[in-house]
Amino acid sequence: MEASKVIHAIYNDDDVLMAAVKKVKAERFHIEEIYTPFPVHGLDKAMGLAPTRIAIASFMYGCVGLAVAVLMMDFIMIEDWPQNIGGKPSFSYLENMPAFVPIMFELTVFFAAHLMVITFYLRSRMWPFKKAENPDPRTTDDHFLMEISIHGNEKELHDLLSQTGAVEINVVDNTH
Amino acid sequence: MYTISNRLRLTAIVLMLVGALGVGYGFISSNKTLEEVKTMLAEGDAHGGHAQASHAEETHKMETEAHVVADDAEHSDNAHDTNTHGATEAVHHGDAHAEHVMHAMHNRPWSAFYIAAFFFFMISLGVLAFYAIQYASQAGWSPLLLRVMEGITAYVLPGGLIVLLIAALSNFIGHYNIFVWMDPEVVAHDKLIQGKTGWLNVSGFIIRGLIFIAGWSLYRYFARKFSLAQDKAEDNKNFKKTFRISAAFLVFFIYTESIMSWDWIMSVDPHWFSTLFGWYVLAGMLVCGITVIALITIYLKSKGLLPKVNDSHLHDLAKFMFGFSIFWTYLWFSQFMLIWYSNIPEEVTYFVTRIEDYKLPFFGMVVMNFIFPFLILMNSDYKRVPWFVVMAGIVILAGHYVDVFNMIMPATVGDQWYIGIPEICSMLFFIGLFIFIVFTALTKAPLEPTRNPFIKESEHFHY
């Protein structure tokens, strides 16, 4: 990576941050990352982030779960050993389907929920012994931090960010 | 102020006229004597070559099976069979069959008219409950839609009275064509109904019905009055009054709705009972009501009459349609599966008759009421597209018509059902009446409440 330096602009209000993001975007600078202590409504739209596709993934996982439930019970209850259990018809899957619906439902939800959560962890790189990537511990409490990489335009960026109401502007060597 | 367009009023009137003609035709053409039915049945047997003959044989076999089931499960056959059995015990089996078919034919236009009347009444009652929920929960998104809801609930009073009137007339001028327990001849031969006469008697039925309709209409009257007064008020006193009566109404409603569903729907099968029936009817009611709110909102918005309603409001309505469709399916399945699983003869005949004689409507409505809206309305973007919501809404409404059809018809006409002129024209008549009353009510007040405490929030509602 060529950009070895980044600039950190720190804000202490989410409204100021939103205005700053819009201004920086309007000046056509690329925002590397924004660290906030809580979800800021509309920040993703202001940054121009692509919408998440996790709901689509979840729908497909749900379909997998439904298929697993149907195939499993068709094999166990109908194909492998079609016993007469309390007079329930085990001649075909459809005939005994109502009895399987609770399991079909639960497995659909189970797959959709758990695989979606795991997908989320994988995509956002979260796991138990992961080293925290936080540039400034105050961003987990009450400060907001915008990170922009510097391509020899340090002065220009510094001026722009100081106009946006940043309470602190640091230039950091990006060594990590 | 909204003014009803001449074209819409004319459409409503034409629908009512065509519907009334069809309903009249239905009553006249179904009025067959026993002799005519006998010749019809004989002709049906004589006609047709080999294929039809074998088909007839098959049907006959199935019928025999059904009768065996009926004999095994004491008193479990549907009620109108009891009617014919009781009246003609000594008569030849052929006569009994013809008489059974004749009764079913006589019942058909009554049931078709009753189903359509109930369907539109249940839409407006569902909207009334939803409206009360909006006030009681102090919803911030919906005040822009409150006037649309008030317009739809204008149908509660006339619609409820019509349903009750049809039920009463089937006793006083008809031959107990909808509710078999109204027939003293049947009750005399039926120990099970005799045990229920403390509840199932005509005067009690009418008195209860009138109390329910009075309660609902009173809430509607005062909520509307306070809502209009709030527009001109200086403070929020009227809003608080509506909040209070809405909470009280919801308590009243949940009791009366359950009892209404036993009286007006479940009692067509007086031998059968189900505990969650009231909620099941309620779920259908709410999903239809919300769908109609969405459809009318989209219509008025397309005319430019609701400029502040945005696609987030539509999105919320579509979410409710989606959610309540699933809720309806949950209750439908819970009722079906519990009875199917335990398979107790006195309960299960309800579903036996429906699956044998009504296979397509019975399972088709699950596709229309669940699978179609589930897949169409799952996507967040689709819920904001008006024509998607309209398409889903039309299928949901048709599906819930079939749902009411499935609740009434098997008990009254049995296997003699068909969706023909009496059914379609009854629907046309009530569509016309519904449009006429609802859109006339919409002209009575500005479409956007001005001084509702949540109106600003609603105008800026954004999902």
Side-chain angles (χ1 to χ4, degrees), chain B residues 405-451:
Chain B
F405 188 86
N406 273 324
M407 290 194 261
I408 304 282
M409 279 292 183
T412 52
V413 308
D415 57 359
Q416 298 296 312
W417 71 275
Y418 191 70
I419 296 193
I421 290 176
E423 287 79 10
I424 293 169
C425 286
S426 301
M427 278 304 274
L428 292 183
F429 176 79
F430 282 105
I431 290 173
L433 187 68
F434 185 80
I435 291 178
F436 190 82
I437 290 176
V438 168
F439 283 86
T440 308
L442 285 172
T443 62
K444 298 276 164 64
L447 284 180
E448 281 168 3
T450 48
R451 245 200 118 271

Side-chain angles (χ1 to χ4, degrees), chain A residues 134-143 145:
Chain A
N134 205 320
D136 189 324
R138 286 175 299 171
T139 59
T140 63
D141 183 13
D142 60 349
H143 283 68
L145 188 150

Side-chain angles (χ1 to χ4, degrees), chain A residues 41 45, chain B residues 310-313 384 457-463:
Chain A
H41 189 76
K45 281 221 177 73
Chain B
N310 57 39
D311 58 0
S312 290
H313 294 104
R384 298 163 165 268
E457 185 180 341
S458 182
E459 280 167 20
H460 297 120
F461 174 65
H462 161 77
Y463 164 70

Side-chain angles (χ1 to χ4, degrees), chain A residues 59 88-89 95-96 98-99 101-102, chain B residues 333 336-337 340-342 375 378 462:
Chain A
F59 177 76
K88 283 278 159 287
E95 263 184 309
N96 209 2
V101 165
Chain B
F333 183 72
F336 173 67
M337 198 261 249
W340 172 87
Y341 208 107
S342 58
L375 295 176
M378 190 175 330
H462 161 77

Side-chain angles (χ1 to χ4, degrees), chain A residues 150-166:
Chain A
I150 296 170
H151 301 277
N153 48 2
E154 190 178 328
K155 175 87 179 68
E156 192 190 341
L157 255 178
H158 199 284
D159 291 347
L160 174 70
L161 290 174
S162 57
Q163 281 169 30
T164 58

Side-chain angles (χ1 to χ4, degrees), chain A residues 6-17:
Chain A
V6 292
I7 195 161
H8 283 172
I10 297 179
Y11 301 86
N12 56 11
D13 187 280
D14 49 341
D15 287 332
V16 180
L17 174 76

